[in-house]
Structure formats: structure tokens, C-alpha cells
């Protein structure tokens, strides 16, 4: 396990670490114990904790993630 910082709120969450091929960015999202990687339609990627994921709308856009970052 390792810690990773949420791209929006900056919280440190635990994620599986040390396995290089665990993160498959070709998929929409990968679940982790404390957060997941979200890939948007424009190709940008963010690692977000579940609190931030839950705060996003059903079909989040980059502006929605950036709105979280500003809070
Ligand atoms: Zn967060």
C-alpha cells in the first residue's frame, strides 16, 4: 500500500502500490481502497478520493473537477 494525494482536495488516500501494470488508464476508472483514477472525455486524468468522486455529477467534465479543486 502507498499513499497518493487527491488531485482535487489534496487528501492523502491509500492505494495499492508497487505493481507497475495495476493502473490501466485505458479504462474509465480504476477502483482503489481510498480513491480512483478518473479519465475524462477530453483525455485528462485525475486521481480523486471517494469524497470528491461522490461530489461530482453523474457525467463529470473537467470543469467539475476544477471546481472541486478551487474549494
Ligand atoms: Zn478529494
Amino acid at each position: 500500500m502507498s499513499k497518493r494525494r487527491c488531485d482535487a482536495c489534496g487528501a492523502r488516500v491509500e492505494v495499492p502500490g508497487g505493481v507497475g501494470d495495476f493502473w490501466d488508464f485505458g479504462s474509465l476508472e480504476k477502483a482503489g481502497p481510498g480513491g480512483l483514477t478518473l479519465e475524462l472525455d477530453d483525455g485528462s486524468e485525475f486521481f480523486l478520493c471517494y469524497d470528491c468522486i461522490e461530489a461530482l455529477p453523474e457525467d463529470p467534465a473537467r470543469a467539475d473537477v476544477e471546481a472541486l479543486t478551487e474549494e
Side-chain angles (χ1 to χ4, degrees), residues 5-11 13 47-53 68:
R5 187 178 290 272
C6 172
D7 286 338
C9 70
V13 298
F47 178 79
L48 300 174
C49 68
Y50 283 130
D51 285 346
C52 289
I53 291 291
L68 288 175

Side-chain angles (χ1 to χ4, degrees), residues 38-56:
L38 177 72
E39 180 176 333
L40 304 182
D41 289 341
D42 66 3
S44 59
E45 293 170 349
F46 299 92
F47 178 79
L48 300 174
C49 68
Y50 283 130
D51 285 346
C52 289
I53 291 291
E54 290 177 2
L56 289 172

